[in-house]
Amino acid sequence: MRRVSQIKQTEKKRNIRENLRNLRETILRETKMENTIQKNYIIVGQGLAGTMLAQTFIKQGKTVLVIDEPGLSKASKIAAGLYNPVVFKRLVKSWMADELIAFMDDFYFGSEKLLGTNFYFKKQIVRLFAEEQEKTLWLKKTNEDVGKYLSKTIEDDFLSDLIYNPLGSAEVIDAGNLDTRLFLDAFRNYFREQNNLLEEKFDYDQLIISKNSVTYKNYTADKIIFCEGYKTTENPYFSWLPFKLTKGEIITIKLLGDTEVGFDKVINKGVFILPVGDNTYKVGATYEWTNLTDLPTEKGKTELIDKLQKVLKVPFKIIDHQAGIRPTVIDRRPIIGLHPKHSAMAVFNGMGTKGVMLAPYFAKHFFDFLEKNIPLDKEVNIVRFGATFKL
Ligand SMILES: Cc1cc2nc3c(=O)[nH]c(=O)nc-3n(C[C@H](O)[C@H](O)[C@H](O)COP(=O)(O)OP(=O)(O)OC[C@H]3O[C@@H](n4cnc5c(N)ncnc54)[C@H](O)[C@@H]3O)c2cc1C
């Protein structure tokens, strides 16, 4: 008997506490409502993911507030921005290549037109063969589905004055790069001009979450979407997601000697060499699963120089060296969807090594889910990790 009354008392106390908390939130919300600015979405993070999501929503007539402190993660800013529909290791199409490539042109060319800046470039990737079997496999694959991305002929002396190329080379046709720095800066200015940007570190303590809306400082929105790259591992609402982060380092070089000599295609063998103009090239990248800081290291630099010297015959000097952390997930797929407990809160992340190809397509895919109830692809849906989340 005594035990029953004790349980009832504890329950009563819990109810009182709950009611007080709700009351506090209502008062806070209503006080704020007086000068509040209403948006459809708050997007935290203006890397590749947040930028493309925000622009997709704006294009569809939604209002957004982007909150970003650029110093927190460098991945998008330093990325080479390459896109390549072919996985060289097995010579197969990369995941969803056809769908993603078809979507990219529309998004990036449209953005260039909107912002009056050129940042999206088509460039063939020249694959230098490392062994005879690779050459045989390439020719065989030109007759398969991946073949539409592969040149049909082998070139024997591509740039033989400049590079070591004893076994010949072939080209990936539908490839290129996004100048991510230009792209992000142009969109940052655009968001700023439209009063859609708050340049600060997001403060989780200032967030009030309700069933159908969120309030952050003097903004309210239907939903908040976190696009914080690897920093999501420090987000109190999403730190349970199973990231397996990958650090990457990249150097920028200038070829020395004859300035007339150079090339305008991307070269790949062990490393990529991406021409960025003015006899300057980006060379990368390393993959490292420990020492997860965005500081460049001597080890990373040495690895890149060693690989580069196996390809380049001409001298060069290093003019820049950067590192960043890729938001890679254990199953190497994006993570998209609503928080399991708070439906006004969502995540758009896990672009891993391929933000340039994945983000435009999946931004629209996420929009269709949120606004048109079209189900999310199972491979990217956050619910696949539901069991990891503890209420
Ligand atoms: C060396 C290297 C080379 C790469 N090369 C390529 C390539 O060639 N092609 C390709 O497609 N991909 C490449 N990538 C991968 C690519 O960089 C990622 O896929 C992409 O940048 C992920 O973008 P993101 O927006 O999810 O994350 P991030 O780039 O990490 O952006 C997150 C943004 O949110 C901000 N932020 C985070 N937390 C908060 C907070 N609490 N408050 C406010 N702001 C916050 C950060 O400062 C940052 O601006 C490369 C990565 C590296 C490291």
PDB file of all heavy atoms in Angstrom, residues 42 45 50 86 114 135 150 162-163 170 244 252 256 263 285 302 317 375 382:
ATOM      1  N   ILE A  42      16.061  26.767 -40.479  1.00  0.00           N
ATOM      2  CA  ILE A  42      17.386  27.242 -40.029  1.00  0.00           C
ATOM      3  C   ILE A  42      18.375  26.155 -40.435  1.00  0.00           C
ATOM      4  O   ILE A  42      18.141  24.970 -40.167  1.00  0.00           O
ATOM      5  CB  ILE A  42      17.426  27.465 -38.505  1.00  0.00           C
ATOM      6  CG1 ILE A  42      16.494  28.610 -38.100  1.00  0.00           C
ATOM      7  CG2 ILE A  42      18.858  27.750 -38.038  1.00  0.00           C
ATOM      8  CD1 ILE A  42      16.372  28.836 -36.600  1.00  0.00           C
ATOM      9  N   GLY A  45      25.632  25.548 -40.621  1.00  0.00           N
ATOM     10  CA  GLY A  45      26.800  25.111 -41.395  1.00  0.00           C
ATOM     11  C   GLY A  45      26.686  25.591 -42.825  1.00  0.00           C
ATOM     12  O   GLY A  45      25.654  25.375 -43.482  1.00  0.00           O
ATOM     13  N   GLY A  50      25.577  22.442 -46.394  1.00  0.00           N
ATOM     14  CA  GLY A  50      24.649  23.507 -45.975  1.00  0.00           C
ATOM     15  C   GLY A  50      24.357  24.482 -47.097  1.00  0.00           C
ATOM     16  O   GLY A  50      23.216  24.929 -47.276  1.00  0.00           O
ATOM     17  N   VAL A  86      33.910   7.419 -61.981  1.00  0.00           N
ATOM     18  CA  VAL A  86      34.534   6.082 -62.078  1.00  0.00           C
ATOM     19  C   VAL A  86      35.375   5.788 -60.832  1.00  0.00           C
ATOM     20  O   VAL A  86      36.131   6.636 -60.377  1.00  0.00           O
ATOM     21  CB  VAL A  86      35.431   6.017 -63.333  1.00  0.00           C
ATOM     22  CG1 VAL A  86      36.136   4.675 -63.437  1.00  0.00           C
ATOM     23  CG2 VAL A  86      34.622   6.288 -64.591  1.00  0.00           C
ATOM     24  N   LEU A 114      23.309  32.562 -61.542  1.00  0.00           N
ATOM     25  CA  LEU A 114      22.714  33.379 -60.475  1.00  0.00           C
ATOM     26  C   LEU A 114      23.746  34.315 -59.857  1.00  0.00           C
ATOM     27  O   LEU A 114      23.453  35.482 -59.582  1.00  0.00           O
ATOM     28  CB  LEU A 114      22.161  32.433 -59.386  1.00  0.00           C
ATOM     29  CG  LEU A 114      21.679  33.084 -58.104  1.00  0.00           C
ATOM     30  CD1 LEU A 114      20.286  33.676 -58.310  1.00  0.00           C
ATOM     31  CD2 LEU A 114      21.636  32.089 -56.949  1.00  0.00           C
ATOM     32  N   LYS A 135      45.382  -1.861 -68.106  1.00  0.00           N
ATOM     33  CA  LYS A 135      45.105  -1.412 -69.481  1.00  0.00           C
ATOM     34  C   LYS A 135      44.106  -2.379 -70.150  1.00  0.00           C
ATOM     35  O   LYS A 135      43.141  -1.968 -70.782  1.00  0.00           O
ATOM     36  CB  LYS A 135      46.429  -1.408 -70.265  1.00  0.00           C
ATOM     37  CG  LYS A 135      46.448  -0.443 -71.396  1.00  0.00           C
ATOM     38  CD  LYS A 135      47.622  -0.617 -72.311  1.00  0.00           C
ATOM     39  CE  LYS A 135      48.979  -0.328 -71.753  1.00  0.00           C
ATOM     40  NZ  LYS A 135      50.055  -0.375 -72.752  1.00  0.00           N
ATOM     41  N   LEU A 150      34.392   6.170 -70.225  1.00  0.00           N
ATOM     42  CA  LEU A 150      35.796   5.836 -70.490  1.00  0.00           C
ATOM     43  C   LEU A 150      36.163   6.094 -71.947  1.00  0.00           C
ATOM     44  O   LEU A 150      35.399   5.724 -72.853  1.00  0.00           O
ATOM     45  CB  LEU A 150      36.043   4.348 -70.190  1.00  0.00           C
ATOM     46  CG  LEU A 150      35.623   3.836 -68.807  1.00  0.00           C
ATOM     47  CD1 LEU A 150      35.867   2.334 -68.705  1.00  0.00           C
ATOM     48  CD2 LEU A 150      36.376   4.565 -67.700  1.00  0.00           C
ATOM     49  N   LEU A 162      56.757  15.862 -69.726  1.00  0.00           N
ATOM     50  CA  LEU A 162      56.470  16.339 -68.365  1.00  0.00           C
ATOM     51  C   LEU A 162      56.291  15.231 -67.340  1.00  0.00           C
ATOM     52  O   LEU A 162      56.568  15.419 -66.161  1.00  0.00           O
ATOM     53  CB  LEU A 162      55.142  17.130 -68.386  1.00  0.00           C
ATOM     54  CG  LEU A 162      55.163  18.604 -68.674  1.00  0.00           C
ATOM     55  CD1 LEU A 162      53.756  19.158 -68.581  1.00  0.00           C
ATOM     56  CD2 LEU A 162      56.040  19.312 -67.666  1.00  0.00           C
ATOM     57  N   ILE A 163      55.753  14.086 -67.811  1.00  0.00           N
ATOM     58  CA  ILE A 163      55.412  13.043 -66.833  1.00  0.00           C
ATOM     59  C   ILE A 163      55.950  11.667 -67.231  1.00  0.00           C
ATOM     60  O   ILE A 163      56.157  11.399 -68.408  1.00  0.00           O
ATOM     61  CB  ILE A 163      53.881  12.962 -66.621  1.00  0.00           C
ATOM     62  CG1 ILE A 163      53.182  12.720 -67.955  1.00  0.00           C
ATOM     63  CG2 ILE A 163      53.323  14.166 -65.935  1.00  0.00           C
ATOM     64  CD1 ILE A 163      51.710  12.502 -67.810  1.00  0.00           C
ATOM     65  N   ALA A 170      44.626   6.556 -70.368  1.00  0.00           N
ATOM     66  CA  ALA A 170      43.301   6.723 -70.984  1.00  0.00           C
ATOM     67  C   ALA A 170      42.535   7.756 -70.154  1.00  0.00           C
ATOM     68  O   ALA A 170      43.005   8.157 -69.084  1.00  0.00           O
ATOM     69  CB  ALA A 170      42.581   5.388 -71.024  1.00  0.00           C
ATOM     70  N   LYS A 244      32.908   7.727 -39.196  1.00  0.00           N
ATOM     71  CA  LYS A 244      34.274   7.201 -39.137  1.00  0.00           C
ATOM     72  C   LYS A 244      35.107   8.226 -39.924  1.00  0.00           C
ATOM     73  O   LYS A 244      35.324   8.091 -41.124  1.00  0.00           O
ATOM     74  CB  LYS A 244      34.345   5.820 -39.802  1.00  0.00           C
ATOM     75  CG  LYS A 244      35.671   5.121 -39.590  1.00  0.00           C
ATOM     76  CD  LYS A 244      35.599   3.699 -40.128  1.00  0.00           C
ATOM     77  CE  LYS A 244      36.839   2.884 -39.815  1.00  0.00           C
ATOM     78  NZ  LYS A 244      38.047   3.355 -40.481  1.00  0.00           N
ATOM     79  N   THR A 252      49.498  22.577 -52.710  1.00  0.00           N
ATOM     80  CA  THR A 252      49.403  23.316 -53.978  1.00  0.00           C
ATOM     81  C   THR A 252      50.832  23.557 -54.443  1.00  0.00           C
ATOM     82  O   THR A 252      51.680  23.967 -53.641  1.00  0.00           O
ATOM     83  CB  THR A 252      48.668  24.660 -53.775  1.00  0.00           C
ATOM     84  OG1 THR A 252      47.438  24.393 -53.111  1.00  0.00           O
ATOM     85  CG2 THR A 252      48.382  25.356 -55.090  1.00  0.00           C
ATOM     86  N   LEU A 256      58.206  24.674 -61.915  1.00  0.00           N
ATOM     87  CA  LEU A 256      59.317  25.609 -62.112  1.00  0.00           C
ATOM     88  C   LEU A 256      59.847  25.470 -63.534  1.00  0.00           C
ATOM     89  O   LEU A 256      59.579  24.486 -64.218  1.00  0.00           O
ATOM     90  CB  LEU A 256      60.421  25.314 -61.105  1.00  0.00           C
ATOM     91  CG  LEU A 256      60.018  25.491 -59.633  1.00  0.00           C
ATOM     92  CD1 LEU A 256      61.136  25.049 -58.718  1.00  0.00           C
ATOM     93  CD2 LEU A 256      59.643  26.943 -59.341  1.00  0.00           C
ATOM     94  N   PHE A 263      49.719  21.660 -68.193  1.00  0.00           N
ATOM     95  CA  PHE A 263      48.622  20.848 -68.735  1.00  0.00           C
ATOM     96  C   PHE A 263      47.303  21.297 -68.121  1.00  0.00           C
ATOM     97  O   PHE A 263      47.281  21.920 -67.052  1.00  0.00           O
ATOM     98  CB  PHE A 263      48.876  19.351 -68.499  1.00  0.00           C
ATOM     99  CG  PHE A 263      49.276  19.000 -67.090  1.00  0.00           C
ATOM    100  CD1 PHE A 263      48.332  18.622 -66.158  1.00  0.00           C
ATOM    101  CD2 PHE A 263      50.620  19.040 -66.693  1.00  0.00           C
ATOM    102  CE1 PHE A 263      48.704  18.281 -64.869  1.00  0.00           C
ATOM    103  CE2 PHE A 263      50.994  18.694 -65.409  1.00  0.00           C
ATOM    104  CZ  PHE A 263      50.041  18.313 -64.489  1.00  0.00           C
ATOM    105  N   ALA A 285      45.083  13.289 -52.528  1.00  0.00           N
ATOM    106  CA  ALA A 285      45.008  13.713 -51.148  1.00  0.00           C
ATOM    107  C   ALA A 285      45.383  12.507 -50.290  1.00  0.00           C
ATOM    108  O   ALA A 285      45.382  11.381 -50.769  1.00  0.00           O
ATOM    109  CB  ALA A 285      43.589  14.180 -50.839  1.00  0.00           C
ATOM    110  N   THR A 302      55.188  14.717 -46.977  1.00  0.00           N
ATOM    111  CA  THR A 302      56.185  13.793 -47.541  1.00  0.00           C
ATOM    112  C   THR A 302      55.505  12.740 -48.410  1.00  0.00           C
ATOM    113  O   THR A 302      55.980  12.411 -49.505  1.00  0.00           O
ATOM    114  CB  THR A 302      56.956  13.101 -46.384  1.00  0.00           C
ATOM    115  OG1 THR A 302      57.434  14.123 -45.534  1.00  0.00           O
ATOM    116  CG2 THR A 302      58.102  12.264 -46.888  1.00  0.00           C
ATOM    117  N   LYS A 317      57.652  23.770 -56.840  1.00  0.00           N
ATOM    118  CA  LYS A 317      57.773  24.232 -55.451  1.00  0.00           C
ATOM    119  C   LYS A 317      56.391  24.223 -54.801  1.00  0.00           C
ATOM    120  O   LYS A 317      55.373  24.451 -55.491  1.00  0.00           O
ATOM    121  CB  LYS A 317      58.417  25.612 -55.359  1.00  0.00           C
ATOM    122  CG  LYS A 317      57.590  26.736 -55.896  1.00  0.00           C
ATOM    123  CD  LYS A 317      58.206  28.081 -55.539  1.00  0.00           C
ATOM    124  CE  LYS A 317      57.353  29.196 -56.139  1.00  0.00           C
ATOM    125  NZ  LYS A 317      57.813  30.508 -56.015  1.00  0.00           N
ATOM    126  N   PRO A 375       9.348   9.424 -49.796  1.00  0.00           N
ATOM    127  CA  PRO A 375      10.243   8.734 -48.856  1.00  0.00           C
ATOM    128  C   PRO A 375      11.722   8.918 -49.197  1.00  0.00           C
ATOM    129  O   PRO A 375      12.084   9.038 -50.376  1.00  0.00           O
ATOM    130  CB  PRO A 375       9.855   7.254 -48.989  1.00  0.00           C
ATOM    131  CG  PRO A 375       8.584   7.236 -49.746  1.00  0.00           C
ATOM    132  CD  PRO A 375       8.434   8.524 -50.487  1.00  0.00           C
ATOM    133  N   ILE A 382      18.506   8.353 -42.130  1.00  0.00           N
ATOM    134  CA  ILE A 382      19.058   8.265 -40.766  1.00  0.00           C
ATOM    135  C   ILE A 382      18.456   7.092 -39.982  1.00  0.00           C
ATOM    136  O   ILE A 382      19.095   6.556 -39.086  1.00  0.00           O
ATOM    137  CB  ILE A 382      18.821   9.615 -40.020  1.00  0.00           C
ATOM    138  CG1 ILE A 382      19.569   9.650 -38.693  1.00  0.00           C
ATOM    139  CG2 ILE A 382      17.348   9.872 -39.819  1.00  0.00           C
ATOM    140  CD1 ILE A 382      19.489  10.981 -37.986  1.00  0.00           C
TER     141      ILE A 382
END
